[in-house]
């Protein structure tokens, strides 16, 4: 955080020994990653960096100056060398000659690709002229909260002067583009002593002759702002002081878990949304403050902020002291409709003749006094990042309103950025969402063979997945592996014994607090046992019934409760077994419990249909690889009953199947994906056998 009393100053992390061994582009990357690695310096995806580097022209063999500048998209903190666009500096200079003026600045974006050096496929961003025309070798454009807090005050020009003297200039708000590039160029040429510029309502530009110089200037200028705020805000109460006390952490999370599916129900009809909950101290301070409403309504300032968060958040009226959560839920319809009306009115007020059609009018950020902030977006990373951006905006408002009057960006300017044709073109270029994007799946037995393969398949299709399992060690391993493969945002693990009613309730509440709701339940947790009836103990019988029948009942009941609150339908897939359809000698407890699962699925298909909840079953058979069931006693019992060695079993089952093929966890996962996705939107109460063909389990 910054613009907060007591904020630590930024450390200089430049390692000259390391940097000296690098090429100039590598040093640019090094600087960029150092800067973007600290969120106090710039927010995720925000800002850009550049260097003008001498290189050999592949066409003429002569030395030319090439502008290396962060390309479109990407994040300076995590980018690699291929994230930079490279352009001939002399061609960029030549563009000045054909520029037709402000009215036509957007056409210059199309010309940037004509300046590409060395066939680099990375598209140049609209910020390219902001770097190209500054007459210095190295340029940083950052979005530090502490500097934006100055840039977002009514007196930002005077304050910039007061803090930086002539070292840093000030330019009035202007949308990034060719014209702003010319403004910066002019300023730098006219003020040779200046080291950079504060852009009103936006951020900071700094420059230098070497990469190290530029880096150190950027840090020094931000540190000056942090130190200045430290003095200015010392002893002051932020946001007019606390009017609503924050609830205890567990109560906050509990209310978030109640609220999120209800919000999702109301905003997820056209496009499913994933939620994120943040109750960090900065958020709680803001949502509990006297100035919450008046500041929130002013909207955010930096374009990066409001592109992610929408121009303003939705503040939900709630008095935590009364604890009236029902009242909070009852007020949702009205609050959401009022927000949408406001958004439509903003669109109508500001639209231009060629503006793209209005986009989703729902809020992204929801602020709840005493509880925290909820955010919703098309996927988890976007929802999380939106919430991080709103924390940036809170920091900015805290600083700005603490030293002067905070001002959001002018509404028409904000609209012109939000509905900019170039922004629209960027959205149109985005890849089509995956089949399960925006969906949340809960997979029981998720750390086992079939559960893990299923989770992987659903993740591959873009779902957020919660693995629920009783085995903590295996669960941790699976979550770590999936987080590496699909990103930490997409996956969570919860330790749940499916036979424990309250543990199941907790597991679903956790899921909702993490992702905002639920769309898919895969009930898969299981065991297997075999013994002649005379030798089947009551304990073994009960264990089978408890885990396979009662466990499936408990998780389904919880999922149904959620699905009904959410009003978005739902998909339940049971992993039963061939043994639930076809009787097997010597495994009565297991077979009976599996038969109960299959019948439970049919009953639930009947009950759920009117609410759009589909319930289907997959029956695996003889999935040996990856299965923990098949690594234990069950394997020995099955081998013994067929008079085989355990290592002969796989071949035995393959030969027994009609198709003469082995069945793997991935094969089961494929059937689950089909039944969990809209591919099977018109199927419920069905059973798919995935067993390479077995006449005794034909359904009829
Ligand atoms: P597995 O043992 O590899 O996975 C089962 C997982 O369920 C394990 O991670 C285990 O820890 C978990 N689990 C067990 N009891 C639990 C409980 N009370 N609460 C929460 N989690 C619990 O086995 P698998 O082969 O992947 O089996 C998955 C499902 O498929 C089971 O329902 C099984 O009956 C069914 N099935 C498997 C086969 C097969 O050949 N592998 C055949 C037919 C049906």
């Amino acid at each position: 955080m910054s613009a907060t009393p007591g904020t630590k100053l930024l450390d200089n992390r430049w390692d000259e020994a390391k940097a000296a061994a690098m090429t100039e582009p590598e040093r640019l990357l090094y600087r960029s990653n150092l800067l973007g690695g600290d969120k106090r310096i710039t927010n995720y995806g925000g800002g850009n960096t550049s260097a003008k580097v001498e290189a050999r022209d592949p066409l003429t063999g002569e030395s030319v100056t090439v502008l290396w500048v962060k390309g479109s998209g990407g994040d300076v903190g995590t980018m690699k060398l291929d994230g930079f666009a490279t352009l001939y500096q002399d061609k960029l200079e030549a563009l000045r000659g054909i520029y037709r003026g402000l009215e036509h600045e957007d056409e210059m974006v199309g010309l940037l690709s004509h300046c590409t050096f060395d066939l680099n496929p990375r598209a140049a961003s609209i910020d390219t002229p902001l770097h190209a025309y500054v007459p210095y070798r190295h340029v940083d454009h950052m979005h530090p909260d502490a500097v934006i807090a100055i840039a977002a005050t009514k007196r930002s020009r005077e304050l910039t002067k007061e803090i930086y003297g002539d070292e840093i200039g000030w330019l009035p708000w202007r949308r990034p583009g060719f014209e702003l590039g010319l403004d910066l160029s002019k300023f730098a040429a006219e003020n040779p002593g200046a080291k950079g510029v504060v852009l009103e309502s936006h951020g900071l530009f700094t420059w230098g002759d070497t990469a190290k110089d530029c880096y150190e200037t950027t840090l020094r200028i931000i540190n000056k702002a942090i130190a200045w705020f430290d003095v200015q805000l010392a002893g002051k109460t932020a946001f007019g002081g606390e009017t609503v006390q924050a609830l205890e952490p567990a109560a906050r999370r509990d209310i978030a878990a109640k609220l999120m599916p209800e919000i999702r129900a109301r905003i997820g009809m056209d496009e499913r949304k994933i939620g994120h909950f943040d109750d960090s101290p900065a958020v709680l301070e803001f949502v509990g403050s006297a100035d919450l409403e008046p500041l929130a309504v002013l909207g955010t300032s930096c374009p990066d902020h409001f592109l992610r968060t929408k121009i303003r958040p939705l503040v939900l009226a709630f008095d935590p002291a009364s604890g009236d959560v029902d009242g909070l839920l009852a007020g949702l319809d009205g609050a959401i409709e009022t927000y949408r009306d406001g958004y439509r009115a903003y669109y109508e007020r500001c639209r231009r003749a060629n503006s793209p059609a209005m986009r989703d009018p729902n809020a992204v950020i929801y602020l709840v006094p005493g509880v925290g902030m909820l955010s919703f977006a098309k996927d988890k990373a976007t929802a999380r990042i939106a919430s991080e951006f709103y924390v940036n905006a809170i920091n900015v408002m805290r600083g700005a309103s603490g030293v002067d009057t905070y001002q959001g960006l002018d509404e028409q300017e904000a609209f012109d950025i939000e509905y900019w044709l170039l922004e629209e073109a960027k959205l149109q270029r985005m890849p089509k969402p995956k089949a399960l994007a925006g969906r949340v799946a809960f997979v029981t037995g998720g750390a086992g063979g079939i559960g893990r393969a299923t989770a992987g398949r659903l993740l591959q299709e873009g779902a957020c997945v919660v693995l629920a399992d009783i085995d903590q060690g295996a669960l941790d391993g699976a979550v770590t592996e999936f987080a590496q493969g699909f990103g930490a945002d997409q996956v969570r693990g919860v330790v749940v014994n499916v036979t424990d009613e309250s543990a199941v309730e907790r597991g679903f509440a956790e899921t909702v607090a993490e992702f905002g709701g639920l769309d898919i339940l895969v009930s898969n947790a299981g065991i297997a046992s075999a013994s002649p009836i005379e030798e089947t103990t009551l304990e073994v019988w009960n264990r089978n019934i408890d885990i396979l029948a009662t466990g499936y009942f408990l998780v389904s009941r919880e999922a149904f409760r959620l699905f009904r609150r959410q009003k978005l339908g739902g998909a339940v897939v049971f992993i039963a077994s061939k043994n639930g359809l076809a009787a097997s000698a010597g495994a009565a407890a297991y077979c009976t419990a599996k038969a109960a699962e299959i019948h439970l699925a049919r009953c639930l298909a009947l009950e759920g249909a009117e609410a759009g909840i589909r319930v289907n079953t997959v029956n695996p058979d003889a999935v040996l690889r990856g299965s923990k069931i098949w690594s234990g006693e069950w394997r020995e019992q099955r081998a013994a009953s067929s008079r085989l060695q355990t290592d002969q079993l796989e071949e035995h089952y393959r030969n027994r199947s009609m198709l003469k093929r082995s069945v793997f966890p991935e094969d089961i996962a494929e059937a689950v994906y089909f039944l969990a996705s809209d591919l099977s939107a018109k199927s419920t109460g069905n059973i798919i056998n995935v067993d390479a063909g077995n006449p005794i389990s034909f359904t009829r």
Side-chain angles (χ1 to χ4, degrees):
M1 286 191 291
S2 45
T4 310
T7 300
K8 255 185 79 209
L9 295 180
L10 306 171
D11 291 329
N12 185 340
R13 292 163 57 216
W14 190 271
D15 180 344
E16 187 51 30
K18 219 164 151 183
M22 295 176 179
T23 63
E24 199 61 68
E26 286 168 351
R27 257 193 301 274
L28 168 65
L29 178 67
Y30 175 55
R31 174 174 111 226
S32 309
N33 291 166
L34 284 183
L35 291 169
D38 189 332
K39 294 288 167 266
R40 293 171 299 170
I41 299 177
T42 203
N43 45 17
Y44 177 85
N48 27 57
T49 46
S50 71
K52 300 180 184 81
V53 180
E54 296 310 304
R56 198 170 156 277
D57 188 343
L59 294 175
T60 63
E62 282 170 16
S63 176
V64 284
T65 308
V66 176
L67 174 71
W68 284 66
V69 57
K70 191 193 95 173
S72 191
D75 166 54
V76 283
T78 50
M79 70 187 294
K80 305 269 185 305
L81 263 188
D82 67 359
F84 289 99
T86 49
L87 304 100
Y88 286 97
Q89 179 66 24
D90 60 348
K91 291 189 183 182
L92 288 167
E93 288 294 342
L95 290 183
R96 291 183 190 240
I98 57 168
Y99 177 51
R100 297 196 292 154
L102 188 56
E103 290 293 289
H104 306 277
E105 75 166 345
D106 286 0
E107 72 189 16
M108 304 310 285
V109 177
L111 294 172
L112 292 177
S113 50
H114 290 271
C115 306
T116 302
F117 173 80
D118 203 15
L119 304 177
N120 182 351
R122 175 66 56 186
S125 87
I126 44 172
D127 282 1
T128 302
L130 281 52
H131 291 259
Y133 303 140
V134 171
Y136 291 89
R137 285 267 155 185
H138 298 268
V139 180
D140 287 337
H141 167 41
M142 297 287 120
H143 292 157
D145 291 349
V147 176
I148 303 180
I150 298 161
T153 57
K154 272 225 160 82
R155 293 191 310 123
S156 76
R157 183 176 205 148
E158 291 92 313
L159 293 182
T160 303
K161 183 89 181 164
E162 183 184 324
I163 300 164
Y164 297 112
D166 292 333
E167 191 179 20
I168 295 290
W170 180 92
L171 286 176
W173 161 259
R174 185 189 291 288
R175 192 171 73 171
F178 206 84
E179 191 75 20
L180 184 57
L182 298 184
D183 288 351
L184 282 162
S185 174
K186 185 162 177 281
F187 171 85
E190 288 172 358
N191 298 275
K195 297 275 187 228
V197 171
V198 168
L199 300 179
E200 187 188 21
S201 294
H202 185 162
L204 174 69
F205 263 86
T206 33
W207 45 70
D209 294 325
T210 66
K212 180 168 183 268
D213 225 27
C214 191
Y215 171 77
E216 288 178 345
T217 299
T218 303
L219 250 53
R220 191 167 49 77
I221 298 303
I222 299 172
N223 273 338
K224 230 173 176 173
I226 293 174
W228 183 81
F229 272 111
D230 230 6
V231 173
Q232 300 296 315
L233 299 179
K236 281 194 188 166
T237 310
F239 303 130
E242 181 185 274
T243 51
V244 177
Q245 217 188 343
L247 290 166
E248 290 304 307
R252 300 198 292 261
R253 209 166 163 78
D254 187 42
I255 293 176
K258 291 202 171 87
L259 201 47
M260 286 165 94
E262 300 282 347
I263 295 177
R264 198 166 180 253
R266 289 161 173 83
I267 65 171
M269 273 88 82
D270 298 333
E271 179 196 56
R272 287 296 158 98
K273 304 274 192 337
I274 301 289
H276 182 78
F277 172 53
D278 181 340
D279 59 350
S280 57
V283 169
L284 289 174
E285 180 189 40
F286 183 58
V287 299
S289 73
D291 292 346
L292 168 65
E293 298 262 2
L295 279 176
V297 82
L298 293 179
T300 55
S301 171
C302 177
D304 256 34
H305 295 178
F306 69 74
L307 275 176
R308 295 278 190 168
T309 62
K310 281 227 166 80
I311 184 157
R312 50 185 68 89
L314 167 50
V315 179
L316 292 170
F318 180 56
D319 174 12
S322 78
D324 183 11
V325 180
D326 289 340
L328 172 64
L329 299 180
L332 270 184
D333 277 332
I336 289 176
E337 204 40 57
T338 305
Y339 186 94
R340 285 187 194 132
D341 288 346
Y343 188 84
R344 285 187 199 106
Y346 150 75
Y347 178 84
E348 290 305 330
R349 265 196 314 276
C350 301
R351 68 181 297 181
R352 301 193 183 264
N354 60 351
S355 291
M358 190 183 79
R359 304 196 192 105
D360 183 3
N362 290 300
V364 173
I365 303 287
Y366 300 76
L367 302 176
V368 193
V371 176
M373 164 167 65
L374 311 172
S375 55
F376 285 87
K378 64 183 167 59
D379 57 46
K380 178 69 181 181
T382 312
R384 174 182 55 76
I385 292 167
S387 126
E388 286 171 9
F389 274 58
Y390 202 77
V391 172
N392 289 125
I394 290 174
N395 289 337
V396 165
M397 289 187 276
R398 186 194 298 106
S401 62
V403 296
D404 190 42
T405 305
Y406 166 78
Q407 56 177 14
L409 189 54
D410 170 76
E411 178 177 88
Q412 185 66 54
E413 290 293 337
F415 179 89
D416 287 346
I417 291 221
E418 192 175 345
Y419 283 90
W420 198 352
L421 292 177
L422 295 174
E423 195 61 39
E424 175 71 8
K426 211 157 119 187
L427 292 177
Q428 297 300 336
R429 281 198 303 271
M430 301 262 272
K432 246 183 79 184
K434 293 185 179 165
L436 297 180
R439 312 274 167 120
V440 181
F442 189 90
V443 181
T444 72
I450 291 173
R452 208 167 160 143
T454 297
R457 186 71 184 94
L458 302 180
L459 283 162
Q460 208 183 345
E461 293 299 334
C464 293
V465 176
V466 177
L467 310 177
D469 207 290
I470 199 170
D471 180 343
Q472 170 100 60
L475 188 63
D476 292 347
V479 171
T480 306
E481 188 188 307
F482 284 134
Q484 277 161 5
F486 297 96
D489 282 313
Q490 292 298 108
V491 60
R492 297 285 183 276
V494 280
V495 176
V496 171
N497 178 348
V498 294
T499 67
D500 177 341
E501 186 174 18
S502 58
V504 168
E505 282 170 13
R506 269 199 313 278
F508 280 86
E510 270 305 298
T511 301
V512 171
E514 285 297 324
F515 291 126
L518 183 78
D519 304 282
I520 297 163
L521 164 66
V522 182
S523 185
N524 157 81
I527 50 157
S529 72
S531 54
I533 188 70
E534 308 88 311
E535 291 166 26
T536 302
T537 61
L538 181 60
E539 194 272 323
V540 166
W541 173 268
N542 283 343
R543 188 145 51 90
N544 277 276
I545 299 293
D546 280 353
I547 297 174
L548 301 173
T550 310
Y552 278 47
F553 149 68
L554 286 174
V555 294
S556 302
R557 187 182 66 179
E558 214 48 41
F560 261 60
R561 286 174 175 163
L562 253 170
F563 289 154
R564 287 207 194 273
R565 278 165 57 204
Q566 235 180 206
K567 300 186 189 73
L568 296 169
V572 176
V573 184
F574 278 12
I575 308 300
S577 169
K578 174 209 85 179
N579 293 298
L581 283 178
S584 271
Y590 178 71
C591 292
T592 306
K594 282 289 174 188
E597 285 177 8
I598 293 176
H599 209 58
L600 174 62
R602 294 189 184 110
C603 297
L604 300 186
L606 273 177
E607 279 194 43
E610 48 84 25
I613 305 169
R614 301 182 297 108
V615 185
N616 292 288
T617 299
V618 177
N619 282 337
D621 188 31
V623 183
L624 276 66
R625 287 196 206 166
S627 168
K628 282 185 273 172
I629 288 177
W630 281 98
S631 62
E633 216 181 314
W634 171 260
R635 190 180 190 109
E636 279 153 28
Q637 287 159 346
R638 292 289 93 190
S641 87
S642 304
R643 295 180 212 296
L644 294 167
Q645 298 299 316
T646 50
D647 59 0
Q648 294 174 310
L649 272 180
E650 192 167 324
E651 194 190 345
H652 166 71
Y653 285 119
R654 186 163 55 242
N655 290 333
R656 194 187 69 177
S657 75
M658 288 159 55
L659 297 169
K660 307 289 176 230
R661 302 185 72 176
S662 295
V663 183
F664 302 122
E666 292 70 28
D667 301 319
I668 313 303
E670 199 59 38
V672 176
Y673 163 57
F674 172 72
L675 292 172
S677 73
D678 293 344
L679 291 172
S680 62
K682 295 170 190 174
S683 294
T684 191
N686 274 310
I687 295 173
I688 298 182
N689 291 328
V690 185
D691 56 5
N694 189 342
I696 62 165
S697 41
F698 281 7
T699 54
R700 53 186 73 83

